[in-house]
Amino acid sequence: MLALCAFMLLDYVPMSDPDATAGELATLVDVGGIFGAIFAGFLADVTQSSAITCGALLILSIPMVWAYKIFGALSYANAYGLLIATGFFVNGPYCLITTSVSADLGTHPSLANSAKALATVTAIIDGTGSIGAALGPGLSAIVDGLNKPLSERMDIIFGMLIGSNLLALVLLSRLIYKEALVLKAKYKSRRYAA
């Protein structure tokens, strides 16, 4: 779902600002994504809670996508700053999920530390992300081809972007709940130990 959002965003944003080149705009999203991935990885390592970290960033990505839709057209400074921030909050969890899930599943005891199994798990996760990456631009092209005013098409596109982030959050909710229980148990054990 995050790949769908990330690649749909990269495909649609150039349509919303015809004066800028697609490469400039995509680069801004990627710059934000670089910093978002570093921040997400650092926060996940510090907290030992990658699902909670992803969930928090996903929650914050929703208002960022909305803010870009509303305020991105006001000025280039707004558009560029919001694209970087949106890339931070959308691509950060995407990168964390693809790496931490691969590492967690690849080191699962049932796989018996098999390098082949780790490669297979990584390929499955990357392939699943590629499905979203293929769907995003295709869906935005379909919406762009609708016989509707640009503002209505933008509402549909940004609704799909926000919806894909919400769906990713729902799909992560079970892992977020499990990590929250672990953190709660750690907090209680420290509190009673003191």
Side-chain angles (χ1 to χ4, degrees), residues 54-115:
C54 284
L57 291 172
L58 281 171
I59 290 168
L60 293 171
S61 74
I62 293 167
M64 289 311 306
V65 170
W66 179 83
Y68 179 77
K69 179 193 179 301
I70 302 298
F71 303 111
L74 296 179
S75 70
Y76 283 111
N78 279 0
Y80 292 178
L82 288 168
L83 282 173
I84 291 170
T86 302
F88 183 95
F89 290 111
V90 170
N91 289 351
Y94 174 69
C95 292
L96 182 60
I97 287 171
T98 58
T99 55
S100 69
V101 170
S102 295
D104 289 348
L105 289 176
T107 58
H108 193 271
S110 66
L111 299 177
N113 295 326
S114 168

Side-chain angles (χ1 to χ4, degrees), residues 15-42:
M15 289 187 262
S16 65
D17 186 0
D19 292 336
T21 66
E24 289 173 359
L25 298 173
T27 299
L28 293 171
V29 174
D30 285 339
V31 166
I34 291 167
F35 291 109
I38 293 167
F39 176 77
F42 174 76

Side-chain angles (χ1 to χ4, degrees), residues 3-178:
L4 181 132
C5 181
F7 286 95
M8 184 181 257
L9 184 68
L10 290 175
D11 187 59
Y12 183 72
V13 167
M15 289 187 262
S16 65
D17 186 0
D19 292 336
T21 66
E24 289 173 359
L25 298 173
T27 299
L28 293 171
V29 174
D30 285 339
V31 166
I34 291 167
F35 291 109
I38 293 167
F39 176 77
F42 174 76
L43 192 59
D45 286 345
V46 169
T47 63
Q48 295 296 305
S49 303
S50 58
I52 291 173
T53 299
C54 284
L57 291 172
L58 281 171
I59 290 168
L60 293 171
S61 74
I62 293 167
M64 289 311 306
V65 170
W66 179 83
Y68 179 77
K69 179 193 179 301
I70 302 298
F71 303 111
L74 296 179
S75 70
Y76 283 111
N78 279 0
Y80 292 178
L82 288 168
L83 282 173
I84 291 170
T86 302
F88 183 95
F89 290 111
V90 170
N91 289 351
Y94 174 69
C95 292
L96 182 60
I97 287 171
T98 58
T99 55
S100 69
V101 170
S102 295
D104 289 348
L105 289 176
T107 58
H108 193 271
S110 66
L111 299 177
N113 295 326
S114 168
K116 287 181 181 180
L118 178 59
T120 302
V121 167
T122 303
I124 290 169
I125 291 168
D126 284 343
T128 305
S130 296
I131 293 169
L135 285 175
L139 289 174
S140 72
I142 290 169
V143 171
D144 194 50
L146 294 176
N147 191 18
K148 293 184 181 238
L150 179 61
S151 63
E152 287 183 33
R153 293 191 317 253
M154 286 179 65
D155 290 343
I156 294 169
I157 293 288
F158 282 96
M160 287 193 298
L161 292 172
I162 290 170
S164 67
N165 283 352
L166 285 171
L167 184 57
L169 189 59
V170 167
L171 293 173
L172 270 176
S173 62
R174 190 171 128 245
L175 292 174
I176 292 170
Y177 179 73
K178 284 182 178 182

